Amino acid sequence: MSRTKTVYTCQSCGYTSLKWLGKCPDCGSWNTLVEETTGKGSDRGPISATGPVPLSEIILGTDNRTSTHIGELDRVLGGGVVAGAVVLIGGDPGVGKSTLILQAMSRLLGSGGGKCLYVSGEESASQLKLRASRLGIDSEDILVLSETSLEVILAETERTRPAFVVIDSIQTTYSEELQSAPGTVGQVRECSARLMLHAKRYGIPTFIIGHVTKDGSIAGPRVLEHIVDTVLYFEGDRAHSFRVLRTVKNRFGSTNEIGVFEMTDSGLMEITNPSELFLRERSSDASGSAATSTIEGTRPLIVEIQALVSPTTFGVPRRTSIGVDGQRVNLLIAVLEKIGGLHLGLTDIYVNVVGGLRIAEPATDLPIILSIASSLKEIPIPSDVFVFGEVGLSGEIRAVTQAEARLNEGEKIGFKRAVIPASNLSRLNQRSDLQLTGVRDIHEAMESVLSR
Ligand code: TYD
Ligand code: MG
């Protein structure tokens, strides 16, 4: 085994130096030198011992997935945990990452799946125990290791040969081979790469918990995301009890799936019908509210979009959007003014997706437009109607994908009418019991829901 050596590599030009420098002498950028190890250590060998194999001779194994027995988690993983997969769970501190993983481990092992090594670098064993008792979890199959040294963690993994490994969190884990502090880019990258090799070699699914920094990236500028197999983000603000688990990357399944949970006094509960949750407190006669059917991954969700239009008291009108892209909302406001003939120049406009959800798909254009128009005109949109459609710059309503799935979800929730793009209506394959109105432009859309 050859010795490993530490070098500092510039992240922008690749220049390497034997000592740390604030400024890269080659490209001149500041603070880009990151500590790395070179050479090969015992756990840096090849994963495969067979060498190259012709593609035609590779035999597909059966999909070796283990269900977590948490349906919403299975959904985002693409149907369960794959042997040797490394799953990164990112999220703000306090969102419930440790809780989710602990619950998942207890369910996984409950079905007779060996042991789990839960490495807690953030909390002491007794803190972990407190959480477990709150969740009603008491398992002799969960081995708790309060440790931050990667070398010790890997040695313990080899000794105990668990069925699952949890690293809580990657920011507290450090390798003794690097001098930099835990949580730095070099450490995060080195530790996750070695955990990855370890997971692949022994086929142990590994869950890595990572904190998200204020600017939204997982600390250690995205390096982690490239290394691991699956990246899940756990979202939700503290003011709301529900949490959304979102797939950002998945080598074993589709991305953009979501799982919905509610944080309760006794842990996370699955929400199998999120549409009902998002509409729970909807008032039926308020103006400025539009229900829509949005597709998250493969899953339709009914959500409420609210708008508030009020006269600007002084200065420049304010435009604030939460849950939808602000630029898109500005564009739609311009369409409403120029094509729809509404006077919005001296009004403040606030748009919000109820429940803290974030949506980024063009099908929400029409509900945004209609909620703004409804608030301005002070005419409520009937509560049994939901709408979806993309709006073009000349006010035309364009077709969206998966219209049938959106309509089915609305019907299931109890809506009676839907206002949809005319081009979608003419192409529908399925009959629906909903009363459908196809609209071609924003005038027709406003006419269909906002006429007194
Ligand atoms: P935690 O899993 O520690 O978050 P993270 O690991 O992402 O930092 O959960 C943090 C919050 O969840 C904490 O504020 C308390 C709350 N909580 C509940 O509301 N119910 C529960 O059953 C548990 C265990 C935690
Ligand atoms: Mg935690």
Short mmCIF file of all heavy atoms in Angstrom, two decimals, residues 319-367:
data_model
loop_
_atom_site.label_atom_id
_atom_site.label_comp_id
_atom_site.label_asym_id
_atom_site.label_seq_id
_atom_site.Cartn_x
_atom_site.Cartn_y
_atom_site.Cartn_z
N ARG A 319 -43.59 43.86 -6.05
CA ARG A 319 -44.03 42.58 -6.62
C ARG A 319 -43.29 41.49 -5.86
O ARG A 319 -42.07 41.41 -5.92
CB ARG A 319 -43.66 42.48 -8.11
CG ARG A 319 -44.75 42.93 -9.04
CD ARG A 319 -44.70 44.40 -9.24
NE ARG A 319 -46.00 45.04 -9.29
CZ ARG A 319 -46.58 45.43 -10.41
NH1 ARG A 319 -46.02 45.22 -11.55
NH2 ARG A 319 -47.74 46.05 -10.36
N THR A 320 -44.05 40.70 -5.12
CA THR A 320 -43.41 39.66 -4.32
C THR A 320 -44.05 38.31 -4.63
O THR A 320 -45.27 38.21 -4.65
CB THR A 320 -43.59 39.98 -2.82
OG1 THR A 320 -43.09 41.29 -2.59
CG2 THR A 320 -42.83 39.00 -1.95
N SER A 321 -43.24 37.31 -4.91
CA SER A 321 -43.81 35.98 -5.12
C SER A 321 -43.11 34.97 -4.24
O SER A 321 -41.90 34.98 -4.13
CB SER A 321 -43.72 35.51 -6.56
OG SER A 321 -43.13 36.46 -7.36
N ILE A 322 -43.91 34.12 -3.64
CA ILE A 322 -43.37 33.05 -2.81
C ILE A 322 -43.87 31.73 -3.38
O ILE A 322 -45.06 31.54 -3.58
CB ILE A 322 -43.82 33.22 -1.34
CG1 ILE A 322 -43.34 34.57 -0.82
CG2 ILE A 322 -43.30 32.08 -0.47
CD1 ILE A 322 -43.94 34.98 0.48
N GLY A 323 -42.93 30.86 -3.69
CA GLY A 323 -43.30 29.53 -4.19
C GLY A 323 -43.33 29.43 -5.70
O GLY A 323 -43.39 28.34 -6.25
N VAL A 324 -43.34 30.57 -6.39
CA VAL A 324 -43.24 30.56 -7.85
C VAL A 324 -42.17 31.56 -8.26
O VAL A 324 -41.83 32.45 -7.50
CB VAL A 324 -44.58 30.92 -8.56
CG1 VAL A 324 -45.53 29.76 -8.55
CG2 VAL A 324 -45.20 32.15 -7.95
N ASP A 325 -41.65 31.41 -9.47
CA ASP A 325 -40.56 32.25 -9.93
C ASP A 325 -41.04 33.70 -10.12
O ASP A 325 -42.00 33.97 -10.85
CB ASP A 325 -40.05 31.67 -11.26
CG ASP A 325 -38.96 32.53 -11.86
OD1 ASP A 325 -38.23 33.16 -11.08
OD2 ASP A 325 -38.85 32.56 -13.09
N GLY A 326 -40.35 34.62 -9.48
CA GLY A 326 -40.72 36.03 -9.53
C GLY A 326 -40.66 36.62 -10.93
O GLY A 326 -41.50 37.44 -11.31
N GLN A 327 -39.68 36.19 -11.71
CA GLN A 327 -39.54 36.69 -13.08
C GLN A 327 -40.74 36.30 -13.93
O GLN A 327 -41.25 37.07 -14.72
CB GLN A 327 -38.29 36.10 -13.74
CG GLN A 327 -37.01 36.40 -13.04
CD GLN A 327 -36.52 37.80 -13.37
OE1 GLN A 327 -37.28 38.65 -13.81
NE2 GLN A 327 -35.24 38.03 -13.13
N ARG A 328 -41.15 35.05 -13.72
CA ARG A 328 -42.30 34.53 -14.46
C ARG A 328 -43.55 35.34 -14.10
O ARG A 328 -44.36 35.67 -14.95
CB ARG A 328 -42.48 33.06 -14.06
CG ARG A 328 -43.47 32.30 -14.87
CD ARG A 328 -42.85 31.65 -16.08
NE ARG A 328 -43.87 31.29 -17.05
CZ ARG A 328 -43.59 31.03 -18.32
NH1 ARG A 328 -42.37 31.08 -18.76
NH2 ARG A 328 -44.57 30.70 -19.15
N VAL A 329 -43.69 35.64 -12.81
CA VAL A 329 -44.86 36.41 -12.37
C VAL A 329 -44.83 37.80 -13.00
O VAL A 329 -45.85 38.29 -13.49
CB VAL A 329 -44.93 36.48 -10.83
CG1 VAL A 329 -46.01 37.43 -10.38
CG2 VAL A 329 -45.15 35.09 -10.25
N ASN A 330 -43.65 38.43 -13.06
CA ASN A 330 -43.55 39.75 -13.70
C ASN A 330 -43.97 39.70 -15.16
O ASN A 330 -44.66 40.58 -15.66
CB ASN A 330 -42.11 40.28 -13.60
CG ASN A 330 -41.80 40.76 -12.21
OD1 ASN A 330 -42.72 41.05 -11.43
ND2 ASN A 330 -40.52 40.82 -11.88
N LEU A 331 -43.54 38.63 -15.84
CA LEU A 331 -43.91 38.45 -17.23
C LEU A 331 -45.43 38.33 -17.38
O LEU A 331 -46.05 38.94 -18.25
CB LEU A 331 -43.20 37.19 -17.71
CG LEU A 331 -43.24 36.72 -19.13
CD1 LEU A 331 -41.93 35.99 -19.41
CD2 LEU A 331 -44.39 35.78 -19.38
N LEU A 332 -46.04 37.55 -16.48
CA LEU A 332 -47.48 37.35 -16.56
C LEU A 332 -48.24 38.64 -16.25
O LEU A 332 -49.29 38.91 -16.84
CB LEU A 332 -47.91 36.22 -15.61
CG LEU A 332 -47.35 34.83 -15.97
CD1 LEU A 332 -47.64 33.82 -14.88
CD2 LEU A 332 -47.93 34.35 -17.31
N ILE A 333 -47.67 39.44 -15.33
CA ILE A 333 -48.31 40.72 -15.01
C ILE A 333 -48.29 41.62 -16.26
O ILE A 333 -49.27 42.27 -16.59
CB ILE A 333 -47.59 41.41 -13.83
CG1 ILE A 333 -47.82 40.61 -12.55
CG2 ILE A 333 -48.07 42.85 -13.66
CD1 ILE A 333 -46.98 41.06 -11.37
N ALA A 334 -47.16 41.59 -16.99
CA ALA A 334 -47.06 42.38 -18.22
C ALA A 334 -48.09 41.92 -19.25
O ALA A 334 -48.73 42.73 -19.92
CB ALA A 334 -45.65 42.27 -18.79
N VAL A 335 -48.30 40.60 -19.36
CA VAL A 335 -49.29 40.08 -20.30
C VAL A 335 -50.69 40.55 -19.88
O VAL A 335 -51.50 40.98 -20.71
CB VAL A 335 -49.23 38.53 -20.36
CG1 VAL A 335 -50.38 37.97 -21.18
CG2 VAL A 335 -47.90 38.07 -20.93
N LEU A 336 -50.96 40.50 -18.57
CA LEU A 336 -52.28 40.92 -18.07
C LEU A 336 -52.54 42.39 -18.38
O LEU A 336 -53.66 42.79 -18.70
CB LEU A 336 -52.34 40.72 -16.55
CG LEU A 336 -52.98 39.44 -16.04
CD1 LEU A 336 -52.89 39.39 -14.54
CD2 LEU A 336 -54.43 39.32 -16.49
N GLU A 337 -51.50 43.23 -18.28
CA GLU A 337 -51.65 44.66 -18.54
C GLU A 337 -51.84 44.94 -20.01
O GLU A 337 -52.77 45.61 -20.42
CB GLU A 337 -50.39 45.40 -18.07
CG GLU A 337 -50.32 45.53 -16.57
CD GLU A 337 -49.58 46.79 -16.17
OE1 GLU A 337 -48.34 46.76 -16.27
OE2 GLU A 337 -50.23 47.78 -15.78
N LYS A 338 -50.90 44.40 -20.81
CA LYS A 338 -50.86 44.73 -22.23
C LYS A 338 -51.99 44.03 -23.00
O LYS A 338 -52.69 44.66 -23.78
CB LYS A 338 -49.50 44.31 -22.78
CG LYS A 338 -49.30 44.50 -24.24
CD LYS A 338 -48.68 45.84 -24.55
CE LYS A 338 -48.56 45.99 -26.06
NZ LYS A 338 -48.01 47.24 -26.45
N ILE A 339 -52.18 42.75 -22.79
CA ILE A 339 -53.16 42.00 -23.57
C ILE A 339 -54.51 41.96 -22.85
O ILE A 339 -55.56 42.10 -23.44
CB ILE A 339 -52.69 40.54 -23.80
CG1 ILE A 339 -51.22 40.49 -24.20
CG2 ILE A 339 -53.59 39.81 -24.79
CD1 ILE A 339 -50.88 40.87 -25.59
N GLY A 340 -54.44 41.77 -21.52
CA GLY A 340 -55.70 41.65 -20.77
C GLY A 340 -56.34 42.99 -20.48
O GLY A 340 -57.51 43.05 -20.08
N GLY A 341 -55.59 44.07 -20.65
CA GLY A 341 -56.15 45.40 -20.44
C GLY A 341 -56.40 45.75 -18.98
O GLY A 341 -57.18 46.65 -18.67
N LEU A 342 -55.78 45.05 -18.04
CA LEU A 342 -55.96 45.38 -16.63
C LEU A 342 -54.95 46.46 -16.24
O LEU A 342 -53.84 46.49 -16.76
CB LEU A 342 -55.75 44.14 -15.75
CG LEU A 342 -56.62 42.92 -16.01
CD1 LEU A 342 -56.41 41.90 -14.90
CD2 LEU A 342 -58.09 43.31 -16.08
N HIS A 343 -55.34 47.32 -15.31
CA HIS A 343 -54.43 48.38 -14.88
C HIS A 343 -53.73 47.95 -13.59
O HIS A 343 -54.32 47.95 -12.53
CB HIS A 343 -55.19 49.69 -14.69
CG HIS A 343 -55.83 50.12 -15.96
ND1 HIS A 343 -55.09 50.53 -17.06
CD2 HIS A 343 -57.12 50.16 -16.34
CE1 HIS A 343 -55.91 50.81 -18.05
NE2 HIS A 343 -57.16 50.59 -17.65
N LEU A 344 -52.49 47.58 -13.73
CA LEU A 344 -51.75 47.06 -12.57
C LEU A 344 -50.53 47.90 -12.25
O LEU A 344 -49.76 47.58 -11.36
CB LEU A 344 -51.32 45.61 -12.85
CG LEU A 344 -52.47 44.61 -13.03
CD1 LEU A 344 -51.98 43.34 -13.71
CD2 LEU A 344 -53.09 44.27 -11.68
N GLY A 345 -50.38 49.03 -13.00
CA GLY A 345 -49.17 49.83 -12.87
C GLY A 345 -48.99 50.46 -11.49
O GLY A 345 -47.87 50.66 -11.04
N LEU A 346 -50.08 50.76 -10.81
CA LEU A 346 -49.97 51.44 -9.51
C LEU A 346 -50.44 50.53 -8.38
O LEU A 346 -51.03 50.98 -7.40
CB LEU A 346 -50.78 52.74 -9.53
CG LEU A 346 -50.15 53.81 -10.43
CD1 LEU A 346 -51.07 55.01 -10.55
CD2 LEU A 346 -48.79 54.25 -9.90
N THR A 347 -50.20 49.24 -8.57
CA THR A 347 -50.63 48.30 -7.52
C THR A 347 -49.46 47.46 -7.05
O THR A 347 -48.56 47.14 -7.81
CB THR A 347 -51.72 47.34 -8.06
OG1 THR A 347 -51.20 46.70 -9.22
CG2 THR A 347 -53.00 48.06 -8.39
N ASP A 348 -49.49 47.10 -5.78
CA ASP A 348 -48.57 46.09 -5.25
C ASP A 348 -49.20 44.73 -5.54
O ASP A 348 -50.41 44.58 -5.41
CB ASP A 348 -48.42 46.22 -3.73
CG ASP A 348 -47.70 47.51 -3.35
OD1 ASP A 348 -47.04 48.09 -4.23
OD2 ASP A 348 -47.82 47.92 -2.18
N ILE A 349 -48.37 43.77 -5.94
CA ILE A 349 -48.91 42.44 -6.23
C ILE A 349 -48.12 41.38 -5.48
O ILE A 349 -46.89 41.34 -5.57
CB ILE A 349 -48.88 42.13 -7.75
CG1 ILE A 349 -49.68 43.19 -8.50
CG2 ILE A 349 -49.43 40.74 -8.04
CD1 ILE A 349 -49.67 43.05 -10.00
N TYR A 350 -48.81 40.58 -4.70
CA TYR A 350 -48.18 39.49 -3.96
C TYR A 350 -48.77 38.17 -4.46
O TYR A 350 -49.99 38.05 -4.56
CB TYR A 350 -48.45 39.63 -2.46
CG TYR A 350 -48.03 40.97 -1.92
CD1 TYR A 350 -48.92 42.03 -1.89
CD2 TYR A 350 -46.73 41.17 -1.48
CE1 TYR A 350 -48.53 43.27 -1.42
CE2 TYR A 350 -46.32 42.41 -1.00
CZ TYR A 350 -47.23 43.46 -0.98
OH TYR A 350 -46.84 44.69 -0.52
N VAL A 351 -47.91 37.22 -4.75
CA VAL A 351 -48.39 35.90 -5.19
C VAL A 351 -47.78 34.86 -4.26
O VAL A 351 -46.60 34.93 -3.92
CB VAL A 351 -47.99 35.61 -6.66
CG1 VAL A 351 -48.40 34.20 -7.07
CG2 VAL A 351 -48.63 36.63 -7.60
N ASN A 352 -48.59 33.91 -3.85
CA ASN A 352 -48.12 32.92 -2.88
C ASN A 352 -48.70 31.54 -3.20
O ASN A 352 -49.87 31.43 -3.55
CB ASN A 352 -48.58 33.36 -1.47
CG ASN A 352 -48.16 32.36 -0.41
OD1 ASN A 352 -47.09 31.76 -0.48
ND2 ASN A 352 -49.04 32.18 0.58
N VAL A 353 -47.86 30.52 -3.11
CA VAL A 353 -48.37 29.15 -3.21
C VAL A 353 -48.66 28.70 -1.78
O VAL A 353 -47.76 28.70 -0.94
CB VAL A 353 -47.34 28.21 -3.87
CG1 VAL A 353 -47.88 26.80 -3.95
CG2 VAL A 353 -46.97 28.71 -5.24
N VAL A 354 -49.89 28.34 -1.51
CA VAL A 354 -50.28 28.03 -0.14
C VAL A 354 -49.56 26.79 0.38
O VAL A 354 -49.37 25.82 -0.35
CB VAL A 354 -51.81 27.85 -0.06
CG1 VAL A 354 -52.24 27.42 1.33
CG2 VAL A 354 -52.49 29.16 -0.43
N GLY A 355 -49.14 26.87 1.62
CA GLY A 355 -48.55 25.70 2.26
C GLY A 355 -47.04 25.61 2.13
O GLY A 355 -46.44 24.63 2.54
N GLY A 356 -46.42 26.63 1.53
CA GLY A 356 -44.96 26.62 1.47
C GLY A 356 -44.39 25.76 0.36
O GLY A 356 -43.19 25.51 0.31
N LEU A 357 -45.22 25.29 -0.56
CA LEU A 357 -44.73 24.46 -1.66
C LEU A 357 -44.06 25.34 -2.71
O LEU A 357 -44.39 26.50 -2.85
CB LEU A 357 -45.92 23.73 -2.29
CG LEU A 357 -45.62 22.43 -2.99
CD1 LEU A 357 -45.27 21.38 -1.97
CD2 LEU A 357 -46.83 21.98 -3.80
N ARG A 358 -43.09 24.79 -3.43
CA ARG A 358 -42.46 25.53 -4.53
C ARG A 358 -42.81 24.85 -5.85
O ARG A 358 -42.64 23.65 -5.99
CB ARG A 358 -40.94 25.53 -4.37
CG ARG A 358 -40.47 26.58 -3.41
CD ARG A 358 -39.08 27.07 -3.80
NE ARG A 358 -38.10 26.02 -3.74
CZ ARG A 358 -37.39 25.73 -2.65
NH1 ARG A 358 -37.62 26.41 -1.55
NH2 ARG A 358 -36.50 24.78 -2.66
N ILE A 359 -43.30 25.63 -6.79
CA ILE A 359 -43.68 25.06 -8.08
C ILE A 359 -42.93 25.75 -9.19
O ILE A 359 -42.80 26.97 -9.19
CB ILE A 359 -45.19 25.25 -8.35
CG1 ILE A 359 -46.01 24.87 -7.13
CG2 ILE A 359 -45.63 24.43 -9.55
CD1 ILE A 359 -47.48 25.12 -7.33
N ALA A 360 -42.40 24.96 -10.13
CA ALA A 360 -41.72 25.57 -11.27
C ALA A 360 -42.19 24.88 -12.53
O ALA A 360 -41.47 24.11 -13.13
CB ALA A 360 -40.21 25.42 -11.10
N GLU A 361 -43.44 25.09 -12.90
CA GLU A 361 -43.86 24.56 -14.20
C GLU A 361 -44.84 25.52 -14.83
O GLU A 361 -45.60 26.19 -14.14
CB GLU A 361 -44.42 23.12 -14.06
CG GLU A 361 -45.70 23.02 -13.29
CD GLU A 361 -46.56 21.86 -13.81
OE1 GLU A 361 -46.18 21.21 -14.78
OE2 GLU A 361 -47.63 21.67 -13.24
N PRO A 362 -44.81 25.60 -16.17
CA PRO A 362 -45.60 26.62 -16.85
C PRO A 362 -47.12 26.44 -16.68
O PRO A 362 -47.86 27.40 -16.88
CB PRO A 362 -45.21 26.47 -18.32
CG PRO A 362 -44.34 25.29 -18.42
CD PRO A 362 -43.94 24.86 -17.07
N ALA A 363 -47.57 25.25 -16.30
CA ALA A 363 -49.02 25.04 -16.15
C ALA A 363 -49.61 25.94 -15.08
O ALA A 363 -50.83 26.12 -15.02
CB ALA A 363 -49.30 23.58 -15.83
N THR A 364 -48.77 26.53 -14.23
CA THR A 364 -49.30 27.40 -13.18
C THR A 364 -49.48 28.83 -13.67
O THR A 364 -49.92 29.69 -12.91
CB THR A 364 -48.38 27.43 -11.95
OG1 THR A 364 -47.06 27.60 -12.40
CG2 THR A 364 -48.47 26.17 -11.13
N ASP A 365 -49.13 29.11 -14.95
CA ASP A 365 -49.32 30.47 -15.47
C ASP A 365 -50.77 30.92 -15.38
O ASP A 365 -51.07 32.02 -14.91
CB ASP A 365 -48.92 30.51 -16.97
CG ASP A 365 -47.42 30.38 -17.18
OD1 ASP A 365 -46.69 30.39 -16.17
OD2 ASP A 365 -47.00 30.27 -18.35
N LEU A 366 -51.67 30.04 -15.84
CA LEU A 366 -53.08 30.43 -15.87
C LEU A 366 -53.65 30.68 -14.47
O LEU A 366 -54.26 31.73 -14.25
CB LEU A 366 -53.89 29.36 -16.64
CG LEU A 366 -55.32 29.75 -16.96
CD1 LEU A 366 -55.40 31.04 -17.75
CD2 LEU A 366 -56.03 28.62 -17.72
N PRO A 367 -53.42 29.79 -13.50
CA PRO A 367 -53.91 30.12 -12.16
C PRO A 367 -53.29 31.40 -11.58
O PRO A 367 -53.97 32.12 -10.85
CB PRO A 367 -53.53 28.90 -11.32
CG PRO A 367 -52.61 28.10 -12.14
CD PRO A 367 -52.91 28.42 -13.56
#
